[in-house]
């Protein structure tokens, strides 16, 4: 799953009545009115202005795990494993979207990964 920033504008229409000789004068008068002279209309709308993909901001070790998981386990897609890291602090949200089976599979593999790294670092300190 990828992250995106979506920029939208909110459009709220309002109206006011003015007395004027013609459209140009009505426009000039309306430009000088205070916002409190206008009444909001029920026609509001959203307009999506832009969508841009955001970087994962995953650590190199997390990216390496995604690659290793895909090679060794491959029970879940790389996008699901990426979502695991993005929702790491919210296991309930991950499980709701991807299921507890996916969470258990990835978490078990991740714990083995972390233990292997700790073990390797311990050996490096001894040597």
């Amino acid at each position: 799953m990828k992250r995106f920033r979506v920029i939208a504008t909110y459009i709220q229409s309002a109206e006011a009545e003015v007395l004027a000789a013609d459209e140009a004068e009505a426009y000039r008068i309306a430009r000088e009115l205070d916002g409190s002279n206008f009444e909001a209309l029920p026609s509001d709308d959203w307009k999506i202005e832009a969508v841009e993909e955001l970087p994962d901001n995953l650590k190199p070790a997390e990216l390496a795990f995604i690659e290793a998981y895909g090679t060794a386990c491959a029970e879940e897609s790389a996008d699901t494993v990426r979502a695991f890291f993005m929702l790491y602090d919210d296991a309930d949200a991950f499980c709701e979207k991807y299921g507890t089976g996916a969470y258990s599979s990835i978490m078990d593999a991740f714990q083995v990964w972390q233990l292997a790294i700790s073990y390797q670092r311990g050996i490096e300190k001894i040597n």
Side-chain angles (χ1 to χ4, degrees), residues 78-127:
D79 285 341
T80 303
V81 181
R82 182 173 273 105
F84 170 84
F85 285 114
M86 295 174 77
L87 295 170
Y88 189 77
D89 293 328
D90 193 352
D92 290 337
F94 180 87
C95 290
E96 185 176 310
K97 182 156 187 159
Y98 298 97
T100 55
Y103 181 82
S104 295
S105 172
I106 298 167
M107 180 55 90
D108 289 350
F110 186 60
Q111 287 173 333
V112 169
W113 173 269
Q114 289 177 319
L115 289 170
I117 290 171
S118 295
Y119 178 77
Q120 180 60 37
R121 287 182 182 154
I123 289 175
E124 288 170 359
K125 286 180 184 177
I126 293 171
N127 295 329

Side-chain angles (χ1 to χ4, degrees), residues 13-29:
S13 299
E15 69 177 0
E17 289 186 16
V18 297
L19 295 174
D22 56 34
E23 259 186 61
E25 183 184 11
Y27 182 84
R28 185 188 54 74
I29 292 170

Side-chain angles (χ1 to χ4, degrees), residues 20-98:
D22 56 34
E23 259 186 61
E25 183 184 11
Y27 182 84
R28 185 188 54 74
I29 292 170
R31 293 280 299 164
E32 294 174 6
L33 290 177
D34 182 75
S36 64
N37 296 113
F38 288 84
E39 291 185 28
L41 296 173
S43 60
D44 58 317
D45 197 10
W46 290 97
K47 179 181 177 190
I48 303 298
E49 299 289 341
V51 176
E52 75 179 86
E53 186 173 346
L54 296 174
D56 285 339
N57 296 327
L58 295 177
K59 298 171 189 159
E62 293 168 338
L63 294 171
F65 173 79
I66 292 170
E67 180 68 28
Y69 183 90
T71 303
C73 301
E75 286 185 36
E76 304 299 332
S77 71
D79 285 341
T80 303
V81 181
R82 182 173 273 105
F84 170 84
F85 285 114
M86 295 174 77
L87 295 170
Y88 189 77
D89 293 328
D90 193 352
D92 290 337
F94 180 87
C95 290
E96 185 176 310
K97 182 156 187 159
Y98 298 97

